[in-house]
Amino acid sequence: MEFDLRARTILLTVAGSRAYGIHTPASDVDVKGIAVPPASYLLGFLKSFEQVDDAARIQIFRDTLTAEEQAICDEIKLEGSVYNLIKFCKLAADCNPNMLDLLFCRDAEVRLITPLGEVLREHAPMFLSSRAKHTFSGYAASQLKRIKGHRRWLLHPPKTKPAREDYDLPERTLIPADQLAAARSAVRKKMDEWAIDFGDLDDSSVVYVQNQIEKYLSEVMATTDAQWKSAARGIGYDENFIALLDRERRYTSAMREWQQYQSWKTHRNRDRAALEAEYGYDVKHGAHLIRLLHMGREILTTGQVHVWRGDRDGEMLQDIRAGRWAYDRLVEHAESVDADLDRIFREGRYVVPKNPDRAALDEMVVDLVKRGIR
């Protein structure tokens, strides 16, 4: 990337916990921004720019921060992302929660804005649609899955590295490696035939449908194990071979779990680890889980995006972050709000359009790009 990112940035805001009003004095400072690159990056094929995440490049925005924020950056380096306007608008049109934050955050969190950035924020409501149901609940589901996974490791950490003998397997596989790989590939291919072709569905809809399918399968006990064995039988493998393949598969899965656990234990943030150990789950993830669900419900029922939570559910979110909510209470509340979101969406009780006016958004983006590359 060979252009002046600062000069090309049309909007930059404080992001993360500080934008939500649920930060602590020790919280780091993150920023998110939008830039219009030069014409050669938009019209040619030799240069490309989608986003910048490199902390070294983000430092150029340090002087836009408040004195308090700069002081934090003296201790913890400034991080963030700056997106190509076109990529940003594609994501925002799908109601990506992180992108909506830039459009709807308070003016108090804006650190840099040009006339083009002002146009974007003035037209922010154009990006809203019922897709918010899928993205906000989808992101929340990812948070809850992570919380549950970490809690499992906290309460029942793997004791020892898996051994082949634990799965009634010889020290070396009886099946040549190439044959074993071919058999696994065949079973995976058979299972893929059962997978849904999402076609041209946008990412937000795919997230929603996948979550619904996962809920359904868990209710009818259609586990991955059952699907795998059914696929192997469908290929025509005999029961003995299927049993051997299954033991190899379960050993590989256990080894992967062990490696993920070791990586998590080694690389997790020390302060977050202390909180997990004290409260039994990642309270920061817990706060963001509830925030996402509440924001999704607000968008559907009011058509408004309240990024700053301080005067809404901020006290509740701070309580969660401080460990004042038990794990069971957190999960129960999350599942209740998610169920409410499902009902609102299913019954069509939302006030935002079903889909954004993409033609109008595209027209606006074309105009902004033309003005930005001059």
Side-chain angles (χ1 to χ4, degrees), residues 9-266:
T9 297
I10 65 173
L11 177 63
L12 185 84
T13 72
V14 171
S17 297
R18 292 179 177 272
Y20 308 131
I22 60 173
H23 58 289
T24 67
S27 294
D28 56 4
V29 180
D30 292 305
V31 294
K32 280 194 171 64
I34 307 166
V36 180
S40 58
Y41 286 78
L42 296 167
L43 304 176
F45 66 87
L46 292 179
K47 301 176 181 180
S48 64
F49 163 66
E50 287 197 348
Q51 69 187 72
V52 171
D53 301 301
D54 180 21
R57 298 296 303 271
I58 299 299
Q59 301 311 307
I60 60 173
F61 299 108
R62 188 179 184 281
D63 67 328
T64 68
L65 304 177
T66 66
E68 177 193 355
E69 291 163 352
Q70 290 188 33
I72 293 292
C73 292
D74 289 337
E75 303 294 328
I76 309 171
K77 66 182 178 181
L78 175 65
E79 295 186 342
S81 303
V82 177
Y83 299 87
N84 183 323
L85 170 66
I86 295 173
K87 178 176 183 177
F88 169 84
C89 288
K90 286 180 179 178
L91 294 171
D94 278 340
C95 280
N96 180 296
N98 294 325
M99 302 304 106
L100 294 185
D101 288 350
L102 276 80
L103 295 173
F104 290 93
C105 71
R106 303 184 309 172
D107 290 342
E109 277 67 64
V110 175
R111 295 293 174 264
L112 184 159
I113 190 166
T114 70
L116 300 187
E118 290 174 352
V119 171
L120 265 183
R121 280 175 60 86
E122 288 169 4
H123 292 83
M126 292 175 61
F127 290 91
L128 297 182
S129 70
S130 65
R131 297 172 188 272
K133 157 66 184 85
H134 313 325
T135 51
F136 279 79
S137 64
Y139 274 53
S142 296
Q143 292 278 8
L144 184 56
K145 183 176 181 180
R146 189 177 297 113
I147 289 170
K148 288 181 175 180
H150 291 181
R151 180 174 172 81
R152 183 180 71 252
W153 286 338
L154 284 168
L155 300 182
H156 307 289
K159 301 295 185 184
T160 58
K161 184 178 180 179
R164 292 181 60 80
E165 62 188 38
D166 298 335
Y167 296 85
D168 195 22
L169 291 169
E171 184 176 347
R172 295 183 180 277
T173 178
L174 300 175
I175 310 171
D178 57 342
Q179 293 183 24
L180 183 61
R184 288 172 172 165
S185 177
V187 175
R188 181 71 262 172
K189 183 178 179 181
K190 187 68 175 179
M191 293 178 70
D192 287 343
E193 291 177 3
W194 301 337
I196 294 175
D197 180 4
F198 292 106
D200 296 328
L201 274 182
D202 58 88
D203 291 344
S204 61
S205 296
V206 169
V207 169
Y208 173 70
V209 173
Q210 286 176 329
N211 284 335
Q212 293 299 102
I213 292 172
E214 186 173 327
K215 288 180 183 178
Y216 170 75
L217 290 178
S218 65
E219 289 174 1
V220 299
M221 302 298 288
T223 64
T224 300
D225 283 350
Q227 294 176 55
W228 189 91
K229 290 178 181 178
S230 294
R233 293 187 183 102
I235 295 171
Y237 294 148
D238 66 50
E239 291 300 320
N240 289 332
F241 187 64
I242 290 174
L244 179 58
L245 276 180
D246 184 48
R247 293 197 298 274
E248 290 282 2
R249 181 180 67 89
R250 288 187 289 111
Y251 166 72
T252 300
S253 178
M255 181 62 74
R256 186 183 305 113
E257 171 85 357
W258 169 261
Q259 292 168 344
Q260 290 173 345
Y261 168 70
Q262 295 299 323
S263 177
W264 169 76
K265 188 170 64 171
T266 302

